[in-house]
Amino acid sequence: ATFKQFIKIKLFFMPSLEVIQQGIYISSLIIGFIILMPLLSEIELITFWAILAMIVRIPFTLYKYKLIKKDIKLELELKSILNYLIVSIVVFGSIFVIYQEYLVYTETIFVFLPNLLVYVIISVSGYLTITYFTDSKTKELFNSIISEIKKK
């Protein structure tokens, strides 16, 4: 079998597509950094990095979705997706506002990390609690996990 035949096999096509995407991303990142390093601050370079990662990822994700949609019938439950989105925006947005106001940034990681972990635990707990009460599938998952733990 030739290389072109291997590329056409679906088992090799998706990983090949991933390699192509990573190649485009890394080469664009290198070229962008070479051009922009003297012009931008560190935070602007990090923002460029994030935007570039998103710009490269989105077209490949849409293309993969289109390919997968041909072979597999995907049913996205928009109600559940919107529920998770709204809950995450409310919980993590409010925690972001709170920790911007009250979190003390220190230079030592051993002082800063425990303080940050409190906010992380609160936000994850809040998210899980709200999704437990607003989504039946999450409630079913939690109850299944709790019943399995009780069995042992």
Side-chain angles (χ1 to χ4, degrees):
T2 65
F3 181 71
K4 285 185 179 182
Q5 290 171 331
F6 274 122
I7 295 275
K8 291 180 182 178
I9 298 173
K10 289 183 183 180
L11 181 64
F12 291 101
F13 183 70
M14 288 297 189
S16 299
L17 203 57
E18 194 72 28
V19 169
I20 291 168
Q21 176 199 339
Q22 291 300 321
I24 291 171
Y25 169 64
I26 291 172
S27 59
S28 300
L29 188 64
I30 291 170
I31 291 168
F33 276 167
I34 289 172
I35 294 170
L36 296 174
M37 273 185 113
L39 304 173
L40 301 177
S41 68
E42 286 182 11
I43 195 73
E44 291 171 327
L45 286 172
I46 292 171
T47 304
F48 162 74
W49 188 351
I51 291 171
L52 180 67
M54 182 181 65
I55 288 172
V56 171
R57 176 65 75 180
I58 288 174
F60 281 95
T61 301
L62 294 175
Y63 181 67
K64 288 177 191 176
Y65 176 73
K66 184 179 173 185
L67 288 176
I68 290 172
K69 195 175 178 183
K70 289 180 186 176
D71 296 332
I72 300 171
K73 177 118 169 89
L74 289 175
E75 292 184 25
L76 298 175
E77 296 180 25
L78 289 178
K79 183 181 174 193
S80 293
I81 292 171
L82 284 175
N83 179 36
Y84 292 128
L85 180 67
I86 290 168
V87 169
S88 62
I89 289 172
V90 167
V91 170
F92 297 114
S94 60
I95 289 295
F96 174 76
V97 170
I98 290 169
Y99 87 69
Q100 285 292 346
E101 188 68 30
Y102 296 108
L103 184 63
V104 178
Y105 295 95
T106 59
E107 296 216 9
T108 59
I109 191 79
F110 298 111
V111 174
F112 175 70
L113 200 56
N115 293 333
L116 180 64
L117 283 174
V118 169
Y119 291 99
V120 170
I121 290 169
I122 291 171
S123 60
V124 170
S125 300
Y127 177 79
L128 293 175
T129 302
I130 293 173
T131 54
Y132 177 81
F133 289 115
T134 59
D135 186 52
S136 60
K137 290 182 181 179
T138 304
K139 185 180 260 186
E140 183 180 324
L141 175 66
F142 279 22
N143 291 336
S144 298
I145 291 171
I146 290 170
S147 66
E148 281 297 316
I149 291 172
K150 284 181 180 179
K151 285 180 184 178
K152 295 179 181 183

